[in-house]
Amino acid sequence: MDRPLRLPQQDRADFETELGRALAGPQVRAALREGGDDGHGVERLRRSARENAEFVLAAAAPEYERYATLRADADAVSRLPVDAPGGGRVSGLWGVVGVIVPVIAGAAAVIFLLVGYAMGLAEDLEVLGGALVAAGWIAAAVAAVGLLVGGLGLLNTASRARADEAGEAAEETGGAGELVRARDEWRLALAERGLLPYLVAQAGSLPDRRR
C-alpha cells in the first residue's frame, strides 16, 4: 500500500501531476525499455516514487520552502480584516459639507428671504425685513459655497479611493504572480532534479524480464 505523502492536498496533487508526466516522458520510457519492461514497470516506478517521496522531494527543498513561505504569507494577508476608518471619516465629513450644510443653509435662505421681503412691505418692519433679506442672501451664499466645496471634496476622496484600490490591486496581482512563479519553479525542480533522476535510476534497477 502506498504511504500518504506528507504534503498539503494541493502539493500532493502537484506531486502526482509531475510524477505522471515524468513516467510518460521519453527518458523514463527509454530506461524501462532498456531494462526489459514487462508492462508493469510504470506502476512499480510510481509506487516506488510515492514510497520514497521524502527522498525525491528533498531534491527540490529550497524551491518548496520559498513557495510554502510565500503561500503562508498570502494566506495571512487574506485573513487580515479590511478596515479604513480614516477614509470613512473623511468621506463622512465631505458628505456633511456637501449635502447637509447646503440643505440647511438653502432652507434658511428661502425662509429669511420670504419673511424679509414680506416684512419689507410694512413700513414699521422695513428695517427688520432688510436685515432678514441680507441674512437670507448670506445663507444662500453659504449654501452655494458648501455645495461647491463638498462636491470637490467628494470628488477628491473618490479619486484617492480609486488610486488606493488600483495600488492594492497591483500589489495583490504582483504577489499572486510571484506565488505562481514560485510554484512553477518548485514543480520544475521537483521534476528535473527529483523525479526524473530517481525514476531513471530505478527503471535501470528493475529485474530484467528478458532473461
Side-chain angles (χ1 to χ4, degrees), residues 159-186:
S159 64
R160 287 184 178 180
R162 285 195 296 269
D164 291 342
E165 291 175 358
E168 291 175 1
E171 290 179 1
E172 292 176 358
T173 302
E178 187 177 7
L179 182 60
V180 171
R181 288 192 296 272
R183 181 188 178 193
D184 291 341
E185 289 172 1
W186 169 61

Side-chain angles (χ1 to χ4, degrees), residues 37-123:
D37 179 22
D38 62 349
H40 299 287
V42 170
E43 291 307 316
R44 283 198 294 270
L45 288 179
R46 190 190 307 275
R47 184 167 56 251
S48 176
R50 289 171 177 169
E51 291 175 350
N52 296 278
E54 293 181 3
F55 171 78
V56 176
L57 290 166
E63 288 79 4
Y64 182 75
E65 183 177 355
R66 178 172 180 272
Y67 169 48
T69 300
L70 289 174
R71 184 170 58 190
D73 291 343
D75 291 341
V77 171
S78 67
R79 288 193 294 268
L80 290 176
V82 179
D83 187 16
R89 286 195 296 269
V90 171
S91 179
L93 176 61
W94 288 122
V96 171
V97 174
V99 178
I100 297 179
V101 170
V103 169
I104 295 176
V110 172
I111 294 172
F112 288 158
L113 289 173
L114 289 176
V115 175
Y117 282 121
M119 287 183 174
L121 298 176
E123 293 183 0

Side-chain angles (χ1 to χ4, degrees), residues 4 21 31 35-36 38 79-80 94 101 116 142 148 155 158 174 177 188 194-195 207-208:
R21 290 177 178 175
D38 62 349
R79 288 193 294 268
L80 290 176
W94 288 122
V101 170
V142 170
L148 177 62
L155 288 175
L188 181 63
L195 287 168
D208 192 343

Side-chain angles (χ1 to χ4, degrees), residues 134-157:
W137 285 115
I138 292 174
V142 170
V145 172
L147 186 62
L148 177 62
V149 172
L152 292 176
L154 289 173
L155 288 175
N156 185 47
T157 301

